[in-house]
Amino acid sequence: MTPSNTSTDSSEALVLDGKATAYAVRSDVAVDAAALTAQGRAPGLAVVLVGDDPASQVYVRSKDKAATEAGFAVSTIRMSADVTQTEVESIVDQLNADDSVDGILVQLPLPRQLDSDAVVDRIAPEKDVDGLTAANVARLSMGRPGLVPCTPAGCIEILDRHGIDLSGKDVVVIGRSQLVGKPFAQLALARNATVTVCHSRTTNLAEHCRGADVIVAAVGVRELVQGDWVKEGAIVLDVGINRNDEGKLVGDVHYASAAARAAAITPVPGGIGPMTIAMLLANTLKASAARQGIQLGSPA
Ligand code: NAP
């Protein structure tokens, strides 16, 4: 490994710095967005926000800010919480038909009365920058090109940018959500890892983890993964975002004890979280370049 965006803590585990890595991805995206704008038009991202959930508002604001900073044309469509299925789907239809829009993101979760799967599946697959439509999920599992969910894509990107190769590694993914666990497992498989997917019914989770070269925790249970579950020299990616009793953000991994044994680990906060927004930008850039028929140089 010859990382450029890294630091080491006292335990000597390499800290995979998601903030710095995301900054590097975003800088590359901004360079490519400028090239795209010069040759055609700026990448267009439309964000649909339904209701007034405070967390969703924060996420949408940070996505809007990041995309604007990267030189994208961003529009946020706000809809009231009592909107009907037909009204949301008709907005998605309009955005599908709008040539200046390359990426459509419907901020989840949607209010209860709405069928989220139907709304998401309405998005044209080539504009599905969250990679959540059935069409893109199928493409990922079939190993065909498509748009990949941002968080697992961010996990792969942070590994790539630190020269960590998954080929031949035993990877344990904890969590099997559509958003993180399952797509990460597919991506790791495509990188020739041997993948075990664990979940709430897994009986011997600690033992699975102890055998792993790479642990990816995407669970939502604070500090579930203990240091003695981590093999000496393993790589640990902590996707979880939880609050402890003091209100502090913590991951799904007990950081201090895991870092004492791991070769490399992502912190929370400042690990996978920033990578997620960076990969949304990378996906939107990719969608825009493809829709405009322009080939770009940077890898992100
Ligand atoms: P999710 O949809 O709730 O899925 C959680 C998964 O963890 C499920 O597959 C569940 O198993 C499994 N699980 C729950 N308790 C478990 C246990 N005790 N042992 C083993 N497996 C267990 O959550 P998600 O959307 O994937 O998110 C996971 C975490 O990542 C959350 O903390 C979320 O906030 C965070 N997240 C972070 C980012 C980011 O940008 N960093 C993005 C997305 C999510 P079953 O399938 O059996 O129920």
mmCIF file of all heavy atoms in Angstrom, residues 59 151 174-181 198-202 205 217-221 224 238-242 252 271-277, ligand 1:
data_model
loop_
_atom_site.group_PDB
_atom_site.id
_atom_site.type_symbol
_atom_site.label_atom_id
_atom_site.label_comp_id
_atom_site.label_asym_id
_atom_site.label_seq_id
_atom_site.Cartn_x
_atom_site.Cartn_y
_atom_site.Cartn_z
ATOM 1 N N TYR A 59 -29.315 15.928 4.454
ATOM 2 C CA TYR A 59 -28.654 15.171 3.382
ATOM 3 C C TYR A 59 -28.807 15.880 2.045
ATOM 4 O O TYR A 59 -27.858 16.004 1.281
ATOM 5 C CB TYR A 59 -29.245 13.753 3.266
ATOM 6 C CG TYR A 59 -28.906 12.839 4.420
ATOM 7 C CD1 TYR A 59 -29.863 12.008 4.982
ATOM 8 C CD2 TYR A 59 -27.616 12.785 4.937
ATOM 9 C CE1 TYR A 59 -29.557 11.162 6.046
ATOM 10 C CE2 TYR A 59 -27.307 11.934 5.995
ATOM 11 C CZ TYR A 59 -28.289 11.137 6.540
ATOM 12 O OH TYR A 59 -27.988 10.305 7.585
ATOM 13 N N THR A 151 -22.926 4.283 -1.644
ATOM 14 C CA THR A 151 -22.158 3.887 -0.455
ATOM 15 C C THR A 151 -21.230 2.696 -0.735
ATOM 16 O O THR A 151 -20.028 2.777 -0.458
ATOM 17 C CB THR A 151 -23.094 3.622 0.741
ATOM 18 O OG1 THR A 151 -23.851 4.805 0.980
ATOM 19 C CG2 THR A 151 -22.323 3.254 1.991
ATOM 20 N N ILE A 174 -21.253 -7.600 6.742
ATOM 21 C CA ILE A 174 -22.325 -7.747 7.738
ATOM 22 C C ILE A 174 -23.434 -6.788 7.333
ATOM 23 O O ILE A 174 -23.222 -5.566 7.319
ATOM 24 C CB ILE A 174 -21.855 -7.455 9.175
ATOM 25 C CG1 ILE A 174 -20.472 -8.047 9.439
ATOM 26 C CG2 ILE A 174 -22.874 -7.991 10.177
ATOM 27 C CD1 ILE A 174 -19.899 -7.662 10.800
ATOM 28 N N GLY A 175 -24.590 -7.348 6.991
ATOM 29 C CA GLY A 175 -25.716 -6.553 6.481
ATOM 30 C C GLY A 175 -26.020 -6.968 5.058
ATOM 31 O O GLY A 175 -25.103 -7.210 4.269
ATOM 32 N N ARG A 176 -27.307 -7.066 4.757
ATOM 33 C CA ARG A 176 -27.720 -7.507 3.416
ATOM 34 C C ARG A 176 -28.767 -6.559 2.835
ATOM 35 O O ARG A 176 -29.699 -6.984 2.158
ATOM 36 C CB ARG A 176 -28.250 -8.940 3.470
ATOM 37 C CG ARG A 176 -29.391 -9.116 4.450
ATOM 38 C CD ARG A 176 -29.970 -10.524 4.414
ATOM 39 N NE ARG A 176 -30.806 -10.773 5.582
ATOM 40 C CZ ARG A 176 -31.442 -11.903 5.805
ATOM 41 N NH1 ARG A 176 -31.339 -12.894 4.957
ATOM 42 N NH2 ARG A 176 -32.181 -12.057 6.900
ATOM 43 N N SER A 177 -28.622 -5.254 3.145
ATOM 44 C CA SER A 177 -29.597 -4.298 2.596
ATOM 45 C C SER A 177 -29.355 -4.077 1.111
ATOM 46 O O SER A 177 -28.252 -4.299 0.604
ATOM 47 C CB SER A 177 -29.504 -2.956 3.338
ATOM 48 O OG SER A 177 -28.293 -2.316 3.014
ATOM 49 N N GLN A 178 -30.410 -3.588 0.437
ATOM 50 C CA GLN A 178 -30.296 -3.239 -0.991
ATOM 51 C C GLN A 178 -29.361 -2.055 -1.169
ATOM 52 O O GLN A 178 -28.754 -1.885 -2.219
ATOM 53 C CB GLN A 178 -31.674 -2.836 -1.566
ATOM 54 C CG GLN A 178 -32.671 -3.959 -1.641
ATOM 55 C CD GLN A 178 -32.274 -5.031 -2.658
ATOM 56 O OE1 GLN A 178 -31.335 -4.862 -3.441
ATOM 57 N NE2 GLN A 178 -32.969 -6.140 -2.615
ATOM 58 N N LEU A 179 -29.290 -1.217 -0.117
ATOM 59 C CA LEU A 179 -28.525 0.026 -0.206
ATOM 60 C C LEU A 179 -27.024 -0.206 -0.078
ATOM 61 O O LEU A 179 -26.226 0.448 -0.733
ATOM 62 C CB LEU A 179 -29.010 0.953 0.925
ATOM 63 C CG LEU A 179 -28.730 2.431 0.846
ATOM 64 C CD1 LEU A 179 -29.361 3.029 -0.402
ATOM 65 C CD2 LEU A 179 -29.274 3.125 2.095
ATOM 66 N N VAL A 180 -26.628 -1.134 0.795
ATOM 67 C CA VAL A 180 -25.202 -1.299 1.086
ATOM 68 C C VAL A 180 -24.729 -2.752 0.976
ATOM 69 O O VAL A 180 -23.889 -3.081 0.138
ATOM 70 C CB VAL A 180 -24.829 -0.764 2.505
ATOM 71 C CG1 VAL A 180 -23.316 -0.659 2.636
ATOM 72 C CG2 VAL A 180 -25.478 0.564 2.832
ATOM 73 N N GLY A 181 -25.242 -3.616 1.863
ATOM 74 C CA GLY A 181 -24.669 -4.960 1.991
ATOM 75 C C GLY A 181 -24.677 -5.756 0.699
ATOM 76 O O GLY A 181 -23.630 -6.254 0.255
ATOM 77 N N CYS A 198 -23.291 -11.804 6.015
ATOM 78 C CA CYS A 198 -23.907 -12.119 7.315
ATOM 79 C C CYS A 198 -25.064 -11.150 7.573
ATOM 80 O O CYS A 198 -25.132 -10.071 6.979
ATOM 81 C CB CYS A 198 -22.871 -11.988 8.428
ATOM 82 S SG CYS A 198 -21.471 -13.107 8.233
ATOM 83 N N HIS A 199 -25.956 -11.544 8.478
ATOM 84 C CA HIS A 199 -27.160 -10.742 8.753
ATOM 85 C C HIS A 199 -27.665 -11.088 10.143
ATOM 86 O O HIS A 199 -26.990 -11.802 10.891
ATOM 87 C CB HIS A 199 -28.207 -10.992 7.665
ATOM 88 C CG HIS A 199 -28.369 -12.437 7.334
ATOM 89 N ND1 HIS A 199 -29.073 -13.296 8.130
ATOM 90 C CD2 HIS A 199 -27.843 -13.174 6.312
ATOM 91 C CE1 HIS A 199 -29.005 -14.499 7.616
ATOM 92 N NE2 HIS A 199 -28.257 -14.461 6.508
ATOM 93 N N SER A 200 -28.879 -10.626 10.443
ATOM 94 C CA SER A 200 -29.358 -10.773 11.825
ATOM 95 C C SER A 200 -29.595 -12.226 12.220
ATOM 96 O O SER A 200 -29.676 -12.539 13.404
ATOM 97 C CB SER A 200 -30.640 -9.963 12.025
ATOM 98 O OG SER A 200 -31.678 -10.508 11.258
ATOM 99 N N ARG A 201 -29.721 -13.135 11.261
ATOM 100 C CA ARG A 201 -29.941 -14.547 11.594
ATOM 101 C C ARG A 201 -28.653 -15.360 11.545
ATOM 102 O O ARG A 201 -28.703 -16.576 11.720
ATOM 103 C CB ARG A 201 -30.947 -15.178 10.633
ATOM 104 C CG ARG A 201 -32.241 -14.393 10.468
ATOM 105 C CD ARG A 201 -33.088 -14.460 11.740
ATOM 106 N NE ARG A 201 -34.280 -13.633 11.581
ATOM 107 C CZ ARG A 201 -35.430 -14.060 11.098
ATOM 108 N NH1 ARG A 201 -35.565 -15.306 10.746
ATOM 109 N NH2 ARG A 201 -36.458 -13.252 10.982
ATOM 110 N N THR A 202 -27.535 -14.702 11.274
ATOM 111 C CA THR A 202 -26.263 -15.427 11.248
ATOM 112 C C THR A 202 -25.951 -15.880 12.674
ATOM 113 O O THR A 202 -26.008 -15.078 13.613
ATOM 114 C CB THR A 202 -25.140 -14.503 10.714
ATOM 115 O OG1 THR A 202 -25.486 -14.118 9.387
ATOM 116 C CG2 THR A 202 -23.787 -15.185 10.722
ATOM 117 N N LEU A 205 -21.528 -15.018 14.051
ATOM 118 C CA LEU A 205 -20.993 -13.817 13.400
ATOM 119 C C LEU A 205 -19.529 -13.566 13.767
ATOM 120 O O LEU A 205 -18.689 -13.303 12.898
ATOM 121 C CB LEU A 205 -21.867 -12.622 13.793
ATOM 122 C CG LEU A 205 -21.524 -11.286 13.156
ATOM 123 C CD1 LEU A 205 -21.606 -11.359 11.643
ATOM 124 C CD2 LEU A 205 -22.459 -10.198 13.686
ATOM 125 N N ALA A 217 -18.781 -3.589 7.722
ATOM 126 C CA ALA A 217 -19.905 -3.594 8.655
ATOM 127 C C ALA A 217 -20.932 -2.558 8.218
ATOM 128 O O ALA A 217 -20.649 -1.359 8.213
ATOM 129 C CB ALA A 217 -19.398 -3.296 10.065
ATOM 130 N N ALA A 218 -22.107 -3.032 7.817
ATOM 131 C CA ALA A 218 -23.205 -2.148 7.390
ATOM 132 C C ALA A 218 -24.462 -2.637 8.077
ATOM 133 O O ALA A 218 -25.326 -3.270 7.476
ATOM 134 C CB ALA A 218 -23.352 -2.177 5.876
ATOM 135 N N VAL A 219 -24.543 -2.367 9.370
ATOM 136 C CA VAL A 219 -25.536 -3.003 10.219
ATOM 137 C C VAL A 219 -26.511 -1.998 10.849
ATOM 138 O O VAL A 219 -27.723 -2.178 10.818
ATOM 139 C CB VAL A 219 -24.837 -3.791 11.372
ATOM 140 C CG1 VAL A 219 -25.827 -4.698 12.083
ATOM 141 C CG2 VAL A 219 -23.650 -4.580 10.870
ATOM 142 N N GLY A 220 -25.948 -0.943 11.448
ATOM 143 C CA GLY A 220 -26.783 -0.014 12.205
ATOM 144 C C GLY A 220 -26.898 -0.425 13.660
ATOM 145 O O GLY A 220 -27.852 -0.060 14.344
ATOM 146 N N VAL A 221 -25.914 -1.211 14.160
ATOM 147 C CA VAL A 221 -25.853 -1.558 15.590
ATOM 148 C C VAL A 221 -24.515 -1.034 16.103
ATOM 149 O O VAL A 221 -23.455 -1.458 15.642
ATOM 150 C CB VAL A 221 -25.929 -3.082 15.817
ATOM 151 C CG1 VAL A 221 -25.733 -3.416 17.298
ATOM 152 C CG2 VAL A 221 -27.260 -3.637 15.313
ATOM 153 N N LEU A 224 -20.904 -3.006 17.247
ATOM 154 C CA LEU A 224 -21.174 -4.452 17.268
ATOM 155 C C LEU A 224 -19.880 -5.266 17.104
ATOM 156 O O LEU A 224 -19.657 -6.262 17.801
ATOM 157 C CB LEU A 224 -22.148 -4.783 16.125
ATOM 158 C CG LEU A 224 -22.429 -6.248 15.857
ATOM 159 C CD1 LEU A 224 -23.328 -6.832 16.939
ATOM 160 C CD2 LEU A 224 -23.101 -6.439 14.481
ATOM 161 N N ASP A 238 -16.073 0.499 8.062
ATOM 162 C CA ASP A 238 -17.216 0.685 8.957
ATOM 163 C C ASP A 238 -18.216 1.652 8.306
ATOM 164 O O ASP A 238 -17.961 2.856 8.226
ATOM 165 C CB ASP A 238 -16.711 1.251 10.295
ATOM 166 C CG ASP A 238 -17.791 1.266 11.357
ATOM 167 O OD1 ASP A 238 -18.958 0.975 11.040
ATOM 168 O OD2 ASP A 238 -17.456 1.583 12.526
ATOM 169 N N VAL A 239 -19.323 1.102 7.844
ATOM 170 C CA VAL A 239 -20.322 1.919 7.147
ATOM 171 C C VAL A 239 -21.324 2.527 8.136
ATOM 172 O O VAL A 239 -21.941 3.556 7.868
ATOM 173 C CB VAL A 239 -21.069 1.055 6.094
ATOM 174 C CG1 VAL A 239 -22.129 1.854 5.368
ATOM 175 C CG2 VAL A 239 -20.079 0.459 5.089
ATOM 176 N N GLY A 240 -21.473 1.910 9.277
ATOM 177 C CA GLY A 240 -22.521 2.299 10.236
ATOM 178 C C GLY A 240 -22.407 3.731 10.719
ATOM 179 O O GLY A 240 -21.304 4.267 10.885
ATOM 180 N N ILE A 241 -23.562 4.325 10.928
ATOM 181 C CA ILE A 241 -23.612 5.660 11.544
ATOM 182 C C ILE A 241 -24.640 5.566 12.671
ATOM 183 O O ILE A 241 -25.836 5.409 12.421
ATOM 184 C CB ILE A 241 -24.052 6.742 10.528
ATOM 185 C CG1 ILE A 241 -23.091 6.795 9.335
ATOM 186 C CG2 ILE A 241 -24.139 8.102 11.210
ATOM 187 C CD1 ILE A 241 -23.510 7.750 8.235
ATOM 188 N N ASN A 242 -24.150 5.620 13.900
ATOM 189 C CA ASN A 242 -25.029 5.487 15.068
ATOM 190 C C ASN A 242 -24.619 6.541 16.094
ATOM 191 O O ASN A 242 -23.512 7.070 16.030
ATOM 192 C CB ASN A 242 -24.855 4.103 15.724
ATOM 193 C CG ASN A 242 -24.811 2.976 14.708
ATOM 194 O OD1 ASN A 242 -25.820 2.629 14.137
ATOM 195 N ND2 ASN A 242 -23.623 2.413 14.467
ATOM 196 N N ASP A 252 -20.395 0.868 13.437
ATOM 197 C CA ASP A 252 -20.801 -0.493 13.793
ATOM 198 C C ASP A 252 -19.618 -1.285 14.353
ATOM 199 O O ASP A 252 -19.758 -2.465 14.682
ATOM 200 C CB ASP A 252 -21.332 -1.225 12.547
ATOM 201 C CG ASP A 252 -22.654 -0.656 12.059
ATOM 202 O OD1 ASP A 252 -23.340 0.026 12.842
ATOM 203 O OD2 ASP A 252 -22.992 -0.910 10.886
ATOM 204 N N GLY A 271 -15.193 8.569 7.502
ATOM 205 C CA GLY A 271 -14.770 7.393 6.732
ATOM 206 C C GLY A 271 -15.624 7.242 5.481
ATOM 207 O O GLY A 271 -15.476 7.992 4.517
ATOM 208 N N ILE A 272 -16.547 6.286 5.536
ATOM 209 C CA ILE A 272 -17.375 5.988 4.357
ATOM 210 C C ILE A 272 -18.411 7.090 4.084
ATOM 211 O O ILE A 272 -18.771 7.329 2.930
ATOM 212 C CB ILE A 272 -18.076 4.611 4.523
ATOM 213 C CG1 ILE A 272 -17.019 3.502 4.708
ATOM 214 C CG2 ILE A 272 -18.967 4.295 3.343
ATOM 215 C CD1 ILE A 272 -15.999 3.397 3.568
ATOM 216 N N GLY A 273 -18.859 7.778 5.141
ATOM 217 C CA GLY A 273 -19.881 8.828 4.964
ATOM 218 C C GLY A 273 -19.521 9.823 3.858
ATOM 219 O O GLY A 273 -20.284 9.990 2.897
ATOM 220 N N PRO A 274 -18.358 10.496 3.945
ATOM 221 C CA PRO A 274 -18.015 11.464 2.893
ATOM 222 C C PRO A 274 -17.863 10.829 1.518
ATOM 223 O O PRO A 274 -18.094 11.484 0.501
ATOM 224 C CB PRO A 274 -16.661 12.033 3.365
ATOM 225 C CG PRO A 274 -16.557 11.695 4.810
ATOM 226 C CD PRO A 274 -17.387 10.483 5.046
ATOM 227 N N MET A 275 -17.490 9.548 1.479
ATOM 228 C CA MET A 275 -17.317 8.874 0.183
ATOM 229 C C MET A 275 -18.661 8.736 -0.552
ATOM 230 O O MET A 275 -18.710 8.711 -1.774
ATOM 231 C CB MET A 275 -16.718 7.475 0.378
ATOM 232 C CG MET A 275 -15.310 7.442 0.913
ATOM 233 S SD MET A 275 -14.147 8.315 -0.146
ATOM 234 C CE MET A 275 -14.200 7.356 -1.655
ATOM 235 N N THR A 276 -19.738 8.629 0.229
ATOM 236 C CA THR A 276 -21.050 8.399 -0.388
ATOM 237 C C THR A 276 -21.439 9.581 -1.281
ATOM 238 O O THR A 276 -21.854 9.394 -2.429
ATOM 239 C CB THR A 276 -22.099 8.153 0.721
ATOM 240 O OG1 THR A 276 -21.713 6.960 1.415
ATOM 241 C CG2 THR A 276 -23.488 7.972 0.166
ATOM 242 N N ILE A 277 -21.273 10.796 -0.770
ATOM 243 C CA ILE A 277 -21.628 11.975 -1.583
ATOM 244 C C ILE A 277 -20.673 12.099 -2.766
ATOM 245 O O ILE A 277 -21.088 12.426 -3.883
ATOM 246 C CB ILE A 277 -21.630 13.250 -0.709
ATOM 247 C CG1 ILE A 277 -22.832 13.193 0.231
ATOM 248 C CG2 ILE A 277 -21.683 14.504 -1.588
ATOM 249 C CD1 ILE A 277 -23.140 14.477 0.971
HETATM 250 P P1 NAP B 1 -30.566 -1.767 7.064
HETATM 251 O O1 NAP B 1 -31.324 -1.668 5.790
HETATM 252 O O2 NAP B 1 -31.273 -1.573 8.357
HETATM 253 O O3 NAP B 1 -29.833 -3.182 7.079
HETATM 254 C C1 NAP B 1 -29.140 -3.615 8.202
HETATM 255 C C2 NAP B 1 -28.626 -5.003 7.978
HETATM 256 O O4 NAP B 1 -27.920 -5.399 9.148
HETATM 257 C C3 NAP B 1 -29.722 -6.048 7.728
HETATM 258 O O5 NAP B 1 -29.333 -6.909 6.688
HETATM 259 C C4 NAP B 1 -29.817 -6.788 9.061
HETATM 260 O O6 NAP B 1 -30.125 -8.158 8.929
HETATM 261 C C5 NAP B 1 -28.395 -6.688 9.574
HETATM 262 N N1 NAP B 1 -28.332 -6.757 11.025
HETATM 263 C C6 NAP B 1 -29.076 -6.088 11.929
HETATM 264 N N2 NAP B 1 -28.720 -6.420 13.175
HETATM 265 C C7 NAP B 1 -27.742 -7.342 13.070
HETATM 266 C C8 NAP B 1 -26.965 -8.069 13.990
HETATM 267 N N3 NAP B 1 -27.115 -7.912 15.319
HETATM 268 N N4 NAP B 1 -26.050 -8.922 13.518
HETATM 269 C C9 NAP B 1 -25.854 -9.084 12.201
HETATM 270 N N5 NAP B 1 -26.568 -8.409 11.263
HETATM 271 C C10 NAP B 1 -27.495 -7.560 11.705
HETATM 272 O O7 NAP B 1 -29.368 -0.720 7.090
HETATM 273 P P2 NAP B 1 -28.471 -0.085 5.905
HETATM 274 O O8 NAP B 1 -29.262 0.903 5.147
HETATM 275 O O9 NAP B 1 -27.740 -1.141 5.168
HETATM 276 O O10 NAP B 1 -27.427 0.729 6.800
HETATM 277 C C11 NAP B 1 -26.561 0.094 7.709
HETATM 278 C C12 NAP B 1 -25.815 1.125 8.511
HETATM 279 O O11 NAP B 1 -25.061 1.939 7.604
HETATM 280 C C13 NAP B 1 -26.690 2.121 9.270
HETATM 281 O O12 NAP B 1 -26.015 2.499 10.454
HETATM 282 C C14 NAP B 1 -26.795 3.311 8.352
HETATM 283 O O13 NAP B 1 -27.023 4.517 9.042
HETATM 284 C C15 NAP B 1 -25.423 3.288 7.742
HETATM 285 N N6 NAP B 1 -25.338 3.911 6.408
HETATM 286 C C16 NAP B 1 -24.304 4.735 6.207
HETATM 287 C C17 NAP B 1 -24.128 5.313 4.984
HETATM 288 C C18 NAP B 1 -22.964 6.200 4.784
HETATM 289 O O14 NAP B 1 -22.971 7.019 3.888
HETATM 290 N N7 NAP B 1 -21.910 6.023 5.579
HETATM 291 C C19 NAP B 1 -25.022 5.073 3.950
HETATM 292 C C20 NAP B 1 -26.057 4.156 4.162
HETATM 293 C C21 NAP B 1 -26.203 3.582 5.413
HETATM 294 P P3 NAP B 1 -31.554 -8.689 8.370
HETATM 295 O O15 NAP B 1 -31.477 -8.512 6.887
HETATM 296 O O16 NAP B 1 -31.580 -10.095 8.777
HETATM 297 O O17 NAP B 1 -32.600 -7.822 9.003
#
